[in-house]
Amino acid sequence: MTRPSPPPDTPILPADDPDALDQAARILKAGGCVAVPTETVYGLACDATNAQAVAGVYEAKGRPSFNPLICHVDTLERARSLVQLDDQGLALAERFWPGPLTLVAPKRTPSPVSELAAAGLDSLAVRLPYSDTLRTLVQRLDAPLAAPSANASGTISPTTAEHVKDSLNGRIHLILDGGPCPVGVESTIVSVLDPAHPVILRPGGIARDALEAVIGVMQRPTPTNHSAPTAPGQLTSHYAPNASVRLNATQPHNNESFLGFGAQPKREGVVFFDLSPSGDLVEAAANLFTGLRWLDRVSDRIAVAPIPETGLGEAINDRLRRAAAER
């Protein structure tokens, strides 16, 4: 079957509309790609078993083909048909699925997932999301859906349907609108490839202390700029606005906008976005990409207030460091 060409103006349809879901399923079965809301960010979904469909996602995003994709499933049983989960992996899956947790585990062979989606690795990243929309589409196709964030590669992740359209209009087939994403940062990625030493590859929507309460202390992620990353979101420069980003700023310099955290005085003439006036890290995570995107539109320099490294602050600071990295 020939993969369909995207329309010049990508339509946005309600994610809870049965007709829209039918249309999305038809597009996915034909090898197209559809932006889908999740609890973390919007994902650009395609049939993970169809190499042409996966190539279409890479093309739409301008994403390096060495960067593996997360395969989304509808049940734990489907996940276990794709990867080998040891006791540690099963304990995490049973506690945090459905939810914003991705597990990197040994890939079963033979695997229905295309080599392109796995970036040729012997491991696979899998997630069972909260998203009814995504899980329903997996059921419709009876196949896992590969779904990286629905934005041009390396740019700010989308947390609304409008963000997706701003980034990928005319390059994808359909956007399903489920409203703003409640978590607002990508999933936490945990590698269980070494049963004795599970490691967080990417901080995300589930905080470290919650994970460690289930399986004990884990290794901290190592900053990387691989030519061959083992999971999504590991490139040093990632989640980047066009503007330059200066971290741990107590005050903005001249010509800088300010991404604040907690109650802070606003200086006259400074464009200001407060992630959470009350200093709530959950609220800050939900607002992070919206705030970066808004300031990027009005300023070419962004100063960022210090964010605590506790709880979801680890994930927020991870995204901010990558946004500020040399490009």
Side-chain angles (χ1 to χ4, degrees), residues 189-243:
I189 301 179
V190 175
S191 170
V192 290
L193 293 171
D194 180 351
H197 300 98
V199 59
I200 294 179
L201 298 178
R202 179 181 73 182
I206 297 177
R208 170 182 295 277
D209 55 358
L211 298 166
E212 292 184 336
V214 176
I215 61 169
V217 176
M218 288 187 291
Q219 298 178 40
R220 294 208 168 248
T222 302
T224 56
N225 196 15
H226 297 165
S227 61
T230 56
Q234 289 187 295
L235 299 179
T236 299
S237 179
H238 206 58
Y239 315 110
N242 292 315

Side-chain angles (χ1 to χ4, degrees), residues 116-316:
L116 189 58
L121 300 173
D122 293 330
S123 59
L124 194 65
V126 292
R127 179 160 91 94
L128 173 56
Y130 275 125
S131 170
D132 288 336
T133 303
L134 197 47
R135 284 185 285 153
T136 296
L137 291 172
V138 172
Q139 292 168 7
R140 295 277 190 95
L141 265 69
D142 193 24
L145 292 178
S149 56
N151 58 298
S153 185
T155 63
I156 303 170
S157 298
T159 54
T160 68
E162 290 73 22
H163 293 166
V164 178
K165 185 145 186 170
D166 286 346
S167 189
L168 297 178
N169 189 36
R171 298 163 68 178
I172 63 176
H173 298 84
L174 177 65
I175 301 168
L176 295 176
D177 186 357
C181 300
V183 175
V185 293
E186 292 82 358
S187 61
T188 302
I189 301 179
V190 175
S191 170
V192 290
L193 293 171
D194 180 351
H197 300 98
V199 59
I200 294 179
L201 298 178
R202 179 181 73 182
I206 297 177
R208 170 182 295 277
D209 55 358
L211 298 166
E212 292 184 336
V214 176
I215 61 169
V217 176
M218 288 187 291
Q219 298 178 40
R220 294 208 168 248
T222 302
T224 56
N225 196 15
H226 297 165
S227 61
T230 56
Q234 289 187 295
L235 299 179
T236 299
S237 179
H238 206 58
Y239 315 110
N242 292 315
S244 64
V245 177
R246 183 171 66 91
L247 303 180
N248 296 315
T250 55
Q251 291 289 337
H253 293 161
N254 291 337
N255 301 320
E256 285 184 328
S257 58
F258 195 69
L259 187 66
F261 176 76
Q264 299 175 44
K266 299 182 183 180
R267 282 174 41 187
E268 187 175 348
V270 173
V271 179
F272 189 91
F273 186 99
D274 198 334
L275 293 172
S276 173
S278 65
D280 184 326
L281 288 168
V282 174
E283 181 182 22
N287 288 331
L288 176 61
F289 290 134
T290 296
L292 276 174
R293 190 179 295 271
W294 186 74
L295 292 179
D296 194 35
R297 287 177 176 157
V298 298
S299 172
D300 58 9
R301 297 179 183 178
I302 302 172
V304 182
I307 308 290
E309 282 281 355
T310 57
L312 285 182
E314 184 179 5
I316 295 168

